[in-house]
Amino acid sequence: MRKIDAEIDAVYAEYHALVAGARELAPDHAARITEAEALFEKVYADSREVRTKALANIDGQAFHLLRSGLSNRFEEARSAMAAGVEESHQALHVSAQQASYATNRTIIITWGTLGIGLLLSIGFSGLLIRREIAGVLVALRGSIQDVAEGRLDRTIPFGDRSNEVGEISRALAVLQRVARERDMQGWVKAEVAATIEPLQSAEDFASFAQMLLSRLSHSLPLLYGALYLADESRRRFIRVGGFAIDAPGETRSFAIGEGLVGQCAIDRRPMALDTCSNDHLQVATGLGGLMPRHLLLMPVIHQDSVSAVLELAPIGSPDEQQKALIEALLPSVAMNAEILAGNIETRKLLEESQIQTASLAAS
């Protein structure tokens, strides 16, 4: 009996611990829990007399006290506690349902937000890609139109890309370069023909030089130019005419290897020089003088022999097209200079023959 009494005290202590925990977990039901706890306390206090009689082995009185009302109060306390537990369970169930609903709603909102964000991201990315592709295609179309319409000096974009766009751009750049070279060759041929045509009507080297340099200045703007013709020995070069030079009638000559003209003849290669402000080279104008910044000397070679040296002072450094023109023009100049030299020699022999004939007729 004493063992049962000790277990009842342990249950009483555990009950109070559980009631305190329930009050913390369910503060909304604290009144119900307190009410049930008060009933339990009253039952526990009333049971002490019964437990005392039982411990004293007065079983008859103990049963009488138990039946006289203690069992009813114990049932009331149990019912109150059961009602509190049921109410707590219902409250927990409602809370669980609300929490589940809130969780599901949060999940739905989260997934909806993610879905909308994903759709917006895909749409925005698609828009950016479409704009990028459209921009690339528009730029390439403009470059293709430039090449087709002869605007060959414009830069073709996207050539540094490693994808298909880069391959198209590089192929278009090759086409542009080929078209530029073709146009340049056509221009060079046309300019050479336009320059050589008047030379064929020249009667002396002074007019030959003047026609050559005057026509050349249309394609290569000049501050001045001069033509130095080799004598019969090919050891001295004499200025026979020029363009915008001082004292055009004054004879200037250079032995082979002498000065820039003679050095160009002996080296048999073009010379390109940039002058500086300390140089004394000037071109006279109506207002004073101009200082050439660039100087070109080119040997005119015919049948492996330097027949003349062309000296030019262009306004700016020649570009690739102008250099190609000069390179293509020199062989034709050499050939026409030889033809003119032959014509002059023929006229000279004809005049001498006519003089001799007249002398013989007079005698």
Side-chain angles (χ1 to χ4, degrees):
M1 190 63 188
R2 294 184 181 278
K3 183 177 180 181
I4 295 174
D5 189 65
E7 290 180 356
I8 291 174
D9 291 336
V11 169
Y12 175 77
E14 184 177 356
Y15 170 80
H16 276 286
L18 292 174
V19 167
R23 188 179 289 111
E24 292 180 359
L25 291 175
D28 295 339
H29 304 280
R32 172 73 68 177
I33 294 173
T34 301
E35 181 181 351
E37 184 182 15
L39 289 174
F40 184 82
E41 287 287 345
K42 190 174 186 311
V43 171
Y44 181 76
D46 294 342
S47 68
R48 287 179 182 174
E49 185 177 359
V50 176
R51 292 162 58 194
T52 301
K53 297 294 183 178
L55 289 174
N57 295 321
I58 307 175
D59 296 335
Q61 295 181 6
F63 278 110
H64 177 73
L65 292 174
L66 183 62
R67 291 176 179 175
S68 62
L70 181 62
S71 59
N72 293 332
R73 290 193 296 273
F74 178 78
E75 182 64 24
E76 291 177 1
R78 187 192 66 79
S79 299
M81 182 58 65
V85 170
E86 180 65 21
E87 187 175 345
S88 298
H89 284 171
Q90 291 178 357
L92 289 175
H93 180 69
V94 172
S95 298
Q97 285 182 338
Q98 293 177 349
S100 177
Y101 173 76
T103 302
N104 292 334
R105 186 170 180 271
T106 303
I107 292 174
I108 292 173
I109 292 174
T110 302
W111 279 107
T113 304
L114 290 176
I116 293 173
L118 182 60
L119 291 176
L120 290 176
S121 299
I122 294 174
F124 185 68
S125 300
L127 179 62
L128 290 179
I129 293 172
R130 185 169 62 183
R131 289 184 60 184
E132 171 69 14
I133 293 175
V136 169
L137 292 178
V138 169
L140 287 177
R141 183 182 64 181
S143 298
I144 293 172
Q145 289 178 346
D146 290 338
V147 173
E149 295 173 5
R151 296 185 292 270
L152 305 176
D153 56 342
R154 299 186 179 181
T155 302
I156 296 177
F158 315 120
D160 56 343
R161 297 191 179 186
S162 58
N163 53 13
E164 292 80 359
V165 173
E167 293 179 359
I168 294 174
S169 297
R170 288 187 289 274
L172 188 59
V174 172
L175 180 62
Q176 181 192 57
R177 185 168 58 253
V178 171
R180 186 186 297 122
E181 292 176 356
R182 182 194 60 199
D183 285 1
M184 184 179 68
Q185 292 298 325
W187 179 84
V188 167
K189 291 179 180 179
E191 288 296 314
V192 169
T195 303
I196 294 302
E197 183 178 359
L199 298 183
Q200 297 173 354
S201 61
E203 296 183 356
D204 53 38
F205 280 104
S207 60
F208 182 90
Q210 192 277 329
M211 292 177 182
L212 170 64
L213 295 170
S214 178
R215 184 63 185 81
L216 184 60
S217 67
H218 288 75
S219 305
L220 179 64
L222 299 174
L223 288 178
Y224 83 88
L227 179 64
Y228 294 85
L229 188 67
D231 61 7
E232 293 181 359
S233 66
R234 305 288 186 180
R235 303 295 300 175
R236 179 166 289 276
F237 293 83
I238 304 167
R239 188 176 71 187
V240 295
F243 174 86
I245 59 175
D246 297 336
E250 180 183 349
T251 302
R252 294 288 304 275
S253 65
F254 295 91
I256 189 167
E258 179 184 359
L260 293 176
V261 174
Q263 189 64 41
C264 178
I266 197 172
D267 287 346
R268 302 165 63 89
R269 63 179 178 83
M271 298 175 64
L273 305 173
D274 293 329
T275 62
C276 60
S277 59
N278 296 327
D279 294 335
H280 299 289
L281 181 63
Q282 285 190 343
V283 177
T285 67
L287 299 176
L290 293 176
M291 183 77 66
R293 298 300 181 189
H294 307 280
L295 189 62
L296 299 176
L297 293 105
M298 288 152 291
V300 180
I301 301 175
H302 181 72
Q303 294 181 352
D304 202 32
S305 176
V306 180
S307 59
V309 173
L310 190 62
E311 180 181 4
L312 303 174
I315 294 177
S317 180
D319 57 23
E320 293 299 323
Q321 186 169 268
Q322 292 168 338
K323 290 178 181 178
L325 171 61
I326 296 172
E327 183 179 351
L329 184 61
L330 291 179
S332 298
V333 171
M335 183 179 65
N336 281 271
E338 290 295 324
I339 293 174
L340 178 57
N343 292 339
I344 292 174
E345 184 65 24
T346 300
R347 286 201 306 267
K348 182 179 178 181
L349 292 176
L350 182 59
E351 290 174 357
E352 291 178 355
S353 175
Q354 291 175 347
I355 294 173
Q356 290 177 359
T357 302
S359 298
L360 291 175
S363 63

